[in-house]
Amino acid sequence: MSSSPFLRHISNLSPVTALAFQTVQDIPDSVPELKLLVGEGPFIKILDIAAPESILLKRRVFSRERIHGITLSSSSRQQNVLFWGGRSVCITRATFLPREECVFEEIRVPDWIFYAMFIPSTSTTPVSDEEVVVITAHNVLLKYDSTSASWYELASGERCMLYSAHLLYLPADTLNSQDRILVAAGTVFGEILLWSVAIISSSSSSSSSIHGLKNPNTHYRLLGHEGSIFDVNISPKYYGDKCYLASCSDDRTIRIWDISQFDSSFPVSSDTEIKKTGFGHELAQGGKCISIGWGHGARIWGVQFLPVIKESLVELLSISEDLTSRFWTFHPGQKNTKNVELKNIATYQLHSGKHIWSYALDFERGLLATGGADGKIGLVHYRDDQESQEEVWGMDSILTQIGVFPDEPAEPNRKDKKTHDTFKEYAALDNDCFAATTTQGRVLTYTLSQKRWDLLGQWTGLKGWSILACWEDSGLIALGDHNGQIGVLDTVSKQAWWWQSMASENGKVAGVFLGRAVTGDEQKYYILTTVLSPTIFSLHSFKMDHSKSPSALIDRETLLLRSPVQAGEAKFLVTSLAINQKTNQLFLGSRAGGLGIYDLSSTIRPLWALSHTLVHPTDAVTAILLLESGILTTSRNGEYSYLSISLSPDICLTKTHASKPSLVIEGARQQDNLTLWGFRGKNFTIINQTSQHEVHSVECGGAHRAWTHRLNRYFVWTKAGKAHLARTYPHRKLLQSGLHGREIKSIASHGDLIATGAEDTLLRLSTLSPSSGQLCPGAVVGTHTTGIHALQFTPNGEYLFSAGGAGELFAWRVRSANEIVLEGTCEGWSDLRIEGFDVLPIEREGADVGSGVLLAIGYSDSTIRLYHFSPSTGTFRLEMKGTYSRIREQKTCCILHVKFLPNNCGILVAGTDGYLSIYPLSKTFSPVSLAHPLPLPPKSVEKRVHQSSIKALTVAACANGVFIYTGGDDCAFGITHIDTKNSVAESWIVPRAHASAVTAVLCVGVRVLTAGVDQKVKLWEVSEGEKGITVEMREQRESAVADISAAEVVGGGKVVIVGVGVDVWEASDGP
Amino acid sequence: MGKSSKDKRDSYYRLAKEQGWRARSAFKLLQLNSQFNLFEDATRVVDLCAAPGSWSQVLSRTLPPTSTIVSLDLQPMTPLPGVTTLQADITHPSTLPLLLQHLGNKPADLVISDGAPDVTGMHDLDEYIQSQLLLAALNLATCVLKPGGGFVAKIFRGRDVAVVFAQLRCLFDRVTCAKPRSSRGSSIEAFVVCEGYSPPAGFKPSLETPLGLGMKFPESRKRASAGPDGKDKEEEHLVDGVREVKLEEPGGEEEDGQEAKYIASFIACGDLSDFDSDATYALPEVDEHGQKWKSKDPIQPPTAPPYKTALEMRRQLGGGSGGNMSTS
């Protein structure tokens, strides 16, 4: 068929399975640019390292194979690029890559390959100065002959099934007159074979297949792993001719083997004699495991040696299913090589879900790129990151440095304890300086660039009790003491101003919270102080007069505020503050999760709170950030939320977005991205919530300690009486943001807005760019505890419902791709799953009463429940309940789909038994004022269409009823016409429509699209003729998405297919 | 999650324990047999990748006592009455004489294999490894099967499943893709049931030069009668009351003309009134003895995972529960 295709592939998002850095120097003598080549399914992309999310080029390399590896040659004449994966390779010149006219010629290999590389040409009439060698899954070494366009066998190792392999080219040297290839092969049964073969130059390509064959030498059979070998890597020759092999396995270990002597070792016996196979039956033959590395929490997929010995250490990298990439080091050349410690020196986690599949290293710049199943690409400046060392100080060394010498302990013990000084509080002043108070009342500063401590002063009021805070980048700190005094200290001029925080209050200052307002050139500083039993807070303000030298503190004022709590309520213990100078509003957050708002322009004294709202029930509001519209609050309960504020008629807070990343949130910054920091386990962790990755993590011992933090600079904390400082420079970023890290199971859309739910338990919103067809990620919510299997928007897009395992069903209010808030939780049963449900908005004239959404939900135990969801109260009320069963047999099944039919004529139900059933809904069904739920009415239609599960279903209204298009686990595409008035159903089946289960069915214009686990997308034309239904397949295409689970028409003409990744197609109406 | 929760979510898991099967997969073979009558006239049967042994158990309980049953696995297996258990690699050339010796040097009537690798999550790789396991089983089967014999093996219904069907089609009269109701609908697994072993003239099976590796697959004799889209004119397994749509010439591009493809007809087996492996059921109130129902322990504990030592290490270090330690 020569007509233009109906389906045009426009974008995809797939696991990143291959990465390679490429240095490009377009103009001689210019600074070389670094590019990243990315393999995603059968496509390659070129990314600019300097500009995240910018794709310089995207091209299809293979027709359907996935790219598993990219190898760049180091040839002097020209740089070649080799793409390989599955049973295909493709060779091209690097300089051709960016050109539009670059043609990718796919070369098929007779077997699956695990590694591919270039070797110098052995042909006397070279087409190129390089040739390609691959190792197959059956341990066979093949070389490609470009003249005859065929593969020939160089050698075959011991016959076995491999999971991994690595090749190293060994040029001829004094010991070996011939060039050789060294092969490391990791088998499915946990063995590692190291063998080599000499390469004989062939005079002509025709005879090469005979002369090229040579018996391979098996040097070592390395045994010890307790599971399949997922990667092997041969090290370069290190100092002292040391050479190692690294392996990683299903058993979660990395093992290092000394293979330095492989050349002089006796050949290992061949496998002609009968031997038992499997795990751990034989002793290792040669080579010894010198070290075992533990640490990864799941399977390890890749391991590679770094080429240089850093401080006499051998360094290597590993990537894992556990989402981390880790650097390891060990000491080579130790005499006792039995127990060499393989030390995990750095761990990076930039991915989510499961699996890092690929990586690339640039040793020159110290860069690591990682690619995950989540489609993310992470970039780590690993060398810079690992160079910055932690700094630690004991108080004594600081006191010595600043010239304070502790008194000679005349009376040890008691007196010593009294004068002994320890760290109390910290405050980050700027990028280069932080302040600290001590229990002896000292106020210190530390300058990072000069590595110097300075004493600002010592105050008796600060002895034993001090509160420290600072206005960032102002040079000013605020102090609260045990006599109710507050002080402002200029860290530059070392001037101090002290005053009583509250008249007639001599107790401790319990809290000091700072704010700042800028008007023109003038800064107004605010200090809110609280005492231990606060019903009244005092808000101090002042300005600094910098015209004088030294500067003077002027215009000091104090305003009294009444605590926002009403009588009888718990205390309002202030934990955070923000001042909006435009609206003159003061926001206070409390330990109980409350938010109080004051109008500073009000003249009432003491000032009353305009409102008090519980925004984060159960725990403290740790930060309040002012945004363009509204505020952002963070809480120690792990939640952060965006609130919009309307003032008239009454002040009203609306939560527009909330999410709960697994972090005890202590602070946040909102710029282009939302950055959150806080504690997770024993670590202080900074995360980029927008792109969902860990920015930094410092092991500090946990949350209960004094600490301060300057974003992207440093983190200071007390641990075991000592002050610690760790640099938190942003050495990690994402080059590509990706989506779900596990299989996507459901999709719903409204306009360009897409909601996806996956086995990673996350619900994600994104938008489909109308121009590029790319998915632009938005908000992420992780409220579900198991996989999300069904999603539905209400027709107006205001509400989204999500359901899945553990019987969970949630109602969400959606305002944009970045704004989603949980509005209601339906009752659930942990044993049950929800695979399908539908929503029907109910409009009631006049009042809110009765308006809402009707939900029909199908459960895995065959129950069907109808709930009424009330948006105003966020509650679900059970209206109808029944159990699905087939009429004659009284048998049940797992329900997979529930749909409200057009014109409210009933509920369509389909499940694992292959039947379509309709439960009629009476026109008078009124989901209000029912004391007890109604029973499910008897079925009006029951029609078996498929042999087993109906995996996909779509309904189209027609003149006298509906057409129901179905996809079955039985590979069939079904068409059922139901005359809803007379309850008559008629079905047609296209058997073997796909080679495997048909998991997505969609109406696309006048055609029907099906997609299945066979990764085929088919477009069908279904017409009703005199003889019944005729079906014609109009088009079939390959999808890069494995395990396709659903498809959806988005934004008019685009089809979005989800599974392991996302495929976007543009559907034209065609001829 | 409690034991009984799994009993509710997986009826076959519960039934396997109650009926004394070593694994729930026993029901898959029972349901395949009820559809295809696999054991009719079968007196010499080979079970490949047999451990922990639930399929051998089915053979042991179902076949007459005079039958010869030989089970092979890489892992050791607890003995079963009437079953010869061998620990051997099915791809190793030495396995064939060993196997033939235990079959009394007579050809087998049926070869079955429920083997599967631990999946990695990389779909194309997992399907490839599974297809290689299937081909290894097939290769051994061709060495021992009598003409007209049968072969049943687990298959992953993924991207390239039609290529595997086409390969099997070269050696058997009828190839069907069967999914027992005890196999989860959400799982990619199904079973190929190959009936009527009839290798082409001159076909010499061998473990030295295995099919697909050392040896090319013979040209399928059935391809001539196959339709233009790779289907043959076999009867479809349709449910009652639906009509088959005869496709006109299919359009679309033929993307990979080099490899033969064949979509085997599909059959869901096991009675619809059997338990549904995807559904959740209420637990029985009383057991077969009329006693109050209690969740039973599995007949055989699962084989030790390769990461067992890693788990122990973590426990010693006082780390968490190791939430990432699951394999799939």
Side-chain angles (χ1 to χ4, degrees), chain B residues 11-292:
Chain B
S11 302
Y12 288 100
Y13 170 77
R14 173 173 69 81
L15 284 179
K17 292 190 296 179
E18 291 173 6
Q19 297 179 14
W21 300 111
R22 290 179 181 179
R24 66 191 292 288
S25 57
F27 295 104
K28 298 174 189 170
L29 184 58
L30 288 168
Q31 290 174 342
L32 286 168
N33 183 48
S34 70
Q35 180 71 44
F36 292 93
N37 264 323
L38 297 169
F39 305 151
E40 200 177 40
D41 304 325
T43 54
R44 279 179 302 279
V45 181
V46 181
D47 182 11
L48 305 176
C49 310
S54 64
W55 277 27
S56 289
Q57 253 187 314
V58 172
L59 296 175
S60 164
R61 289 191 196 178
T62 318
L63 294 181
T66 52
S67 313
T68 307
I69 304 164
V70 186
S71 298
L72 273 75
D73 203 282
L74 286 166
Q75 308 271 353
M77 202 173 100
T78 317
L80 281 165
V83 179
T84 309
T85 51
L86 304 173
Q87 196 178 349
D89 177 354
I90 60 167
T91 64
H92 204 277
S94 64
T95 303
L96 181 56
L98 185 74
L99 176 59
L100 283 171
Q101 183 198 325
H102 286 281
L103 286 170
N105 285 311
K106 286 183 191 150
D109 303 310
L110 176 67
V111 178
I112 58 177
S113 167
D114 192 26
D118 279 340
V119 295
T120 62
M122 183 81 88
H123 283 74
D124 50 346
L125 176 64
D126 290 338
E127 282 165 36
Y128 172 79
I129 298 283
Q130 176 61 27
S131 72
Q132 293 309 300
L133 197 59
L134 186 147
L135 285 189
L138 172 71
N139 201 52
L140 185 59
T142 57
C143 297
V144 298
L145 269 184
K146 69 166 189 195
F151 175 65
V152 177
K154 180 178 286 188
I155 193 166
F156 284 176
R157 285 200 297 158
R159 194 188 69 181
D160 291 329
V161 67
V163 176
V164 182
F165 288 145
Q167 290 170 334
L168 293 163
R169 190 76 178 131
C170 305
L171 299 162
F172 293 89
D173 287 340
R174 193 156 65 240
V175 176
T176 312
C177 178
K179 177 104 174 168
R181 288 183 67 78
S182 50
S183 169
R184 287 180 179 279
S186 51
S187 160
I188 195 173
E189 80 161 16
F191 296 85
V192 271
V193 178
C194 308
E195 296 164 290
Y197 178 55
S198 58
F203 176 77
K204 282 205 180 64
S206 126
L207 288 193
E208 306 287 348
T209 51
L211 272 168
L213 291 171
M215 198 197 305
K216 279 212 165 88
F217 271 90
E219 194 67 22
S220 172
R221 288 155 302 140
K222 297 282 154 35
R223 288 201 77 198
S225 63
D229 54 342
K231 290 183 194 172
D232 69 352
K233 297 188 181 75
E234 248 171 46
E235 172 201 3
E236 303 293 349
H237 303 277
L238 299 183
V239 301
D240 290 343
V242 301
R243 275 170 280 175
E244 183 187 344
V245 176
K246 302 281 185 225
L247 285 191
E248 298 182 15
E249 285 285 314
E253 355 162 276
E254 197 51 60
E255 0 69 66
D256 196 355
Q258 290 168 12
E259 272 171 320
K261 288 183 182 171
Y262 169 75
I263 302 179
S265 74
F266 178 92
I267 187 153
C269 52
D271 199 301
L272 255 193
S273 60
D274 287 345
F275 280 107
D276 173 1
S277 55
D278 292 288
T280 315
Y281 291 90
L283 295 170
E285 283 173 10
V286 290
D287 65 10
E288 66 274 24
H289 309 297
Q291 306 291 310
K292 187 172 182 295

Side-chain angles (χ1 to χ4, degrees), chain A residues 277-343:
Chain A
T277 34
F279 299 113
H281 284 299
E282 274 180 294
L283 290 170
Q285 290 170 297
K288 59 180 168 185
C289 177
I290 58 161
S291 189
I292 300 179
W294 302 88
H296 278 295
R299 290 175 290 180
I300 308 164
W301 299 131
V303 64
Q304 191 189 331
F305 285 100
L306 273 64
V308 285
I309 293 187
K310 178 173 108 181
E311 293 160 13
S312 76
L313 292 170
V314 173
E315 194 171 358
L316 57 153
L317 165 81
S318 63
I319 56 164
S320 165
E321 180 181 17
D322 72 5
L323 302 170
T324 65
S325 52
R326 292 171 193 244
F327 284 85
W328 309 76
T329 55
F330 69 92
H331 271 286
Q334 282 177 8
K335 275 185 188 152
N336 177 17
T337 51
K338 276 219 160 150
N339 295 305
V340 177
E341 190 197 1
L342 187 59
K343 199 174 159 195

Side-chain angles (χ1 to χ4, degrees), chain A residues 328-515:
Chain A
W328 309 76
T329 55
F330 69 92
H331 271 286
Q334 282 177 8
K335 275 185 188 152
N336 177 17
T337 51
K338 276 219 160 150
N339 295 305
V340 177
E341 190 197 1
L342 187 59
K343 199 174 159 195
N344 183 191
I345 55 157
T347 303
Y348 301 101
Q349 181 168 348
L350 288 101
H351 297 271
S352 58
K354 251 186 179 188
H355 307 300
I356 294 180
W357 286 131
S358 55
Y359 66 91
L361 286 162
D362 180 81
F363 307 117
E364 202 180 308
R365 298 167 184 82
L367 289 176
L368 163 71
T370 53
D374 53 6
K376 278 184 193 171
I377 299 170
L379 186 73
V380 180
H381 290 258
Y382 70 87
R383 197 175 298 144
D384 295 344
D385 186 71
Q386 290 161 24
E387 264 166 13
S388 55
Q389 298 286 321
E390 235 175 76
E391 292 171 64
V392 185
W393 305 274
M395 182 56 83
D396 289 350
S397 67
I398 294 170
L399 294 179
T400 309
Q401 197 210 307
I402 60 175
V404 178
F405 298 99
D407 300 331
E408 285 296 311
E411 281 173 67
N413 301 328
R414 272 190 76 125
K415 193 155 187 202
D416 191 28
K417 216 167 193 175
K418 240 182 168 181
T419 56
H420 182 70
D421 206 0
T422 54
F423 300 98
K424 182 74 174 70
E425 294 225 308
Y426 304 100
L429 279 162
D430 55 41
N431 284 347
D432 196 34
C433 186
F434 69 88
T437 55
T438 73
T439 48
Q440 286 296 313
R442 291 190 173 92
V443 181
L444 305 161
T445 56
Y446 181 74
T447 310
L448 279 75
S449 57
Q450 297 166 15
K451 292 190 182 294
R452 198 186 74 223
W453 286 94
D454 288 295
L455 178 68
L456 290 182
Q458 189 171 10
W459 286 270
T460 49
L462 297 175
K463 273 194 182 182
W465 176 264
S466 58
I467 301 283
L468 171 65
C470 76
W471 293 270
E472 287 202 340
D473 301 305
S474 67
L476 296 178
I477 60 175
L479 295 154
D481 78 359
H482 66 246
N483 302 320
Q485 292 265 329
I486 53 169
V488 170
L489 196 53
D490 185 331
T491 56
V492 181
S493 67
K494 299 196 179 183
Q495 291 184 96
W497 296 269
W498 291 89
W499 67 91
Q500 196 67 24
S501 74
M502 206 178 292
S504 75
E505 247 323 326
N506 296 324
K508 283 175 184 173
V509 175
V512 170
F513 303 92
L514 308 185

